[in-house]
Coordinates of all heavy atoms in Angstrom, one line a residue:
I1 N 114.9 93.4 89.1 CA 115.4 92.2 89.7 C 115.9 91.2 88.7 O 115.5 91.4 87.5 CB 114.2 91.5 90.5 CG1 113.1 91.1 89.6 CG2 113.8 92.3 91.6 CD1 112.0 90.3 90.2
Q2 N 116.7 90.3 89.0 CA 117.2 89.3 88.1 C 116.8 87.9 88.5 O 116.8 87.6 89.7 CB 118.8 89.3 88.1 CG 119.3 90.6 87.4 CD 120.8 90.6 87.5 OE1 121.5 90.0 88.2 NE2 121.3 91.5 86.6
V3 N 116.2 87.1 87.6 CA 115.7 85.8 87.8 C 116.5 84.8 86.9 O 117.0 85.2 85.9 CB 114.2 85.7 87.7 CG1 113.5 86.6 88.7 CG2 113.8 86.0 86.2
V4 N 116.4 83.5 87.3 CA 117.0 82.5 86.5 C 116.3 82.5 85.0 O 115.2 82.7 84.9 CB 116.8 81.1 87.0 CG1 117.2 80.0 86.2 CG2 117.5 81.0 88.4
D5 N 117.2 82.4 84.0 CA 116.7 82.4 82.6 C 117.2 81.1 82.0 O 118.3 80.9 81.7 CB 117.3 83.6 81.8 CG 116.8 83.5 80.3 OD1 115.6 83.2 80.1 OD2 117.8 83.7 79.5
T6 N 116.2 80.2 81.7 CA 116.6 78.9 81.0 C 116.0 78.9 79.6 O 115.9 77.8 79.1 CB 116.0 77.7 81.9 OG1 114.6 77.9 82.0 CG2 116.6 77.7 83.2
S7 N 115.7 80.0 79.0 CA 115.2 80.1 77.7 C 116.1 79.7 76.6 O 115.7 79.3 75.5 CB 114.6 81.5 77.4 OG 115.7 82.4 77.4
G8 N 117.4 79.6 76.9 CA 118.4 79.2 75.9 C 118.6 80.2 74.8 O 118.1 81.3 74.9
P9 N 119.4 79.9 73.8 CA 119.6 80.9 72.7 C 118.4 81.2 72.0 O 117.5 80.5 71.9 CB 120.6 80.1 71.8 CG 121.1 78.9 72.6 CD 120.1 78.7 73.6
V10 N 118.4 82.5 71.5 CA 117.2 83.0 70.8 C 117.3 82.8 69.3 O 118.4 83.0 68.7 CB 116.9 84.5 71.2 CG1 115.7 85.0 70.6 CG2 117.0 84.6 72.7
Q11 N 116.3 82.5 68.6 CA 116.2 82.3 67.1 C 117.3 81.5 66.6 O 118.1 81.9 65.8 CB 116.3 83.8 66.5 CG 115.0 84.6 66.8 CD 115.0 85.8 66.0 OE1 116.0 86.3 65.5 NE2 113.8 86.4 65.8
V12 N 117.4 80.2 67.1 CA 118.3 79.3 66.5 C 117.7 78.5 65.4 O 116.6 78.0 65.6 CB 118.9 78.3 67.7 CG1 119.7 77.2 67.1 CG2 119.5 79.1 68.8
D13 N 118.4 78.3 64.3 CA 118.0 77.6 63.2 C 117.9 76.1 63.6 O 119.0 75.5 63.9 CB 118.8 77.8 62.0 CG 118.4 77.0 60.7 OD1 117.4 76.3 60.8 OD2 119.0 77.3 59.7
P14 N 116.7 75.4 63.5 CA 116.7 74.0 64.0 C 117.5 73.0 63.1 O 117.9 72.0 63.5 CB 115.2 73.6 64.0 CG 114.5 74.7 63.2 CD 115.4 75.9 63.3
T15 N 117.8 73.5 61.8 CA 118.5 72.6 60.9 C 120.0 72.8 61.3 O 120.8 72.0 60.8 CB 118.3 73.0 59.5 OG1 118.7 74.3 59.2 CG2 116.8 72.8 59.2
V16 N 120.4 73.7 62.1 CA 121.8 73.9 62.4 C 122.0 73.3 63.9 O 123.2 72.8 64.2 CB 122.2 75.3 62.4 CG1 123.6 75.6 62.8 CG2 122.1 75.8 60.9
G17 N 121.1 73.5 64.8 CA 121.2 73.0 66.1 C 121.7 74.1 67.1 O 122.0 75.2 66.6
L18 N 121.7 73.8 68.3 CA 122.2 74.7 69.3 C 123.7 74.9 69.3 O 124.4 74.0 69.0 CB 121.7 74.2 70.7 CG 120.3 74.1 71.0 CD1 120.1 73.5 72.3 CD2 119.6 75.5 71.0
P19 N 124.2 76.1 69.6 CA 125.6 76.3 69.6 C 126.2 75.5 70.7 O 125.7 75.3 71.8 CB 125.8 77.8 69.9 CG 124.5 78.2 70.4 CD 123.4 77.3 69.9
P20 N 127.5 75.0 70.5 CA 128.2 74.3 71.5 C 128.7 75.1 72.7 O 130.0 75.3 72.8 CB 129.3 73.5 70.7 CG 129.6 74.5 69.7 CD 128.3 75.2 69.3
Y21 N 127.8 75.5 73.5 CA 128.1 76.4 74.6 C 129.3 76.0 75.5 O 130.1 76.8 75.9 CB 126.9 76.6 75.5 CG 126.9 77.6 76.6 CD1 126.7 78.9 76.3 CD2 127.2 77.2 77.9 CE1 126.8 79.9 77.3 CE2 127.3 78.1 78.9 CZ 127.1 79.4 78.6 OH 127.2 80.4 79.6
R22 N 129.5 74.7 75.8 CA 130.5 74.2 76.7 C 131.7 73.6 75.9 O 132.6 73.1 76.7 CB 130.0 73.1 77.6 CG 128.8 73.7 78.5 CD 128.0 72.5 79.3 NE 128.9 71.4 79.7 CZ 128.9 70.2 79.3 NH1 128.0 69.8 78.4 NH2 129.7 69.3 79.8
E23 N 131.8 73.7 74.7 CA 132.8 73.0 73.9 C 134.2 73.4 74.4 O 135.1 72.5 74.6 CB 132.7 73.2 72.5 CG 133.7 72.4 71.6 CD 133.4 72.4 70.2 OE1 132.7 73.3 69.7 OE2 133.8 71.4 69.5
A24 N 134.5 74.6 74.5 CA 135.8 75.1 74.9 C 136.1 74.6 76.4 O 137.3 74.3 76.6 CB 135.9 76.7 74.9
W25 N 135.2 74.5 77.3 CA 135.4 74.0 78.6 C 135.8 72.6 78.6 O 136.7 72.1 79.2 CB 134.1 74.1 79.4 CG 133.5 75.4 79.6 CD1 134.0 76.6 79.3 CD2 132.2 75.7 80.2 NE1 133.1 77.7 79.6 CE2 132.0 77.1 80.2 CE3 131.2 75.0 80.7 CZ2 130.9 77.7 80.6 CZ3 130.1 75.5 81.2 CH2 129.9 76.9 81.1
I26 N 135.1 71.8 77.7 CA 135.4 70.4 77.6 C 136.7 70.1 77.0 O 137.5 69.3 77.5 CB 134.2 69.6 76.8 CG1 132.9 69.8 77.5 CG2 134.6 68.2 76.5 CD1 131.7 69.4 76.7
R27 N 136.9 70.7 75.9 CA 138.2 70.5 75.2 C 139.5 71.1 76.0 O 140.6 70.6 75.7 CB 138.2 71.2 73.8 CG 137.2 70.4 72.9 CD 137.2 70.9 71.4 NE 136.3 70.2 70.6 CZ 136.4 69.0 70.2 NH1 137.4 68.3 70.4 NH2 135.4 68.6 69.4
G28 N 139.2 72.0 76.9 CA 140.3 72.5 77.7 C 140.8 71.6 78.8 O 141.8 71.8 79.4
R29 N 140.1 70.5 79.0 CA 140.5 69.5 80.0 C 141.5 68.6 79.5 O 141.4 68.0 78.3 CB 139.3 68.8 80.5 CG 138.3 69.7 81.2 CD 137.1 69.0 81.7 NE 136.2 70.0 82.3 CZ 135.0 70.1 82.2 NH1 134.4 69.1 81.5 NH2 134.2 71.0 82.7
D30 N 142.6 68.3 80.2 CA 143.7 67.5 79.8 C 143.3 66.0 79.6 O 144.0 65.3 79.0 CB 144.9 67.6 80.6 CG 144.6 67.3 82.1 OD1 143.5 66.9 82.5 OD2 145.6 67.3 82.9

C-alpha cells in the first residue's frame, strides 16, 4: 500500500538547509 509521506528529504545537512523543491515552478511563472 502507498501512504502519504511527509518526512521530507533524508539526511540533509542543517548548515545547508533544505533543497529548493519548488524553485523551478516559481521561477517558471511569468
Side-chain angles (χ1 to χ4, degrees):
I1 60 169
Q2 293 178 340
V3 297
V4 172
D5 175 47
T6 58
S7 63
V10 187
Q11 292 188 340
V12 174
D13 182 353
T15 62
V16 176
L18 296 171
Y21 185 79
R22 299 172 35 244
E23 185 171 23
W25 303 350
I26 295 166
R27 291 186 185 281
R29 295 181 182 136
D30 59 356

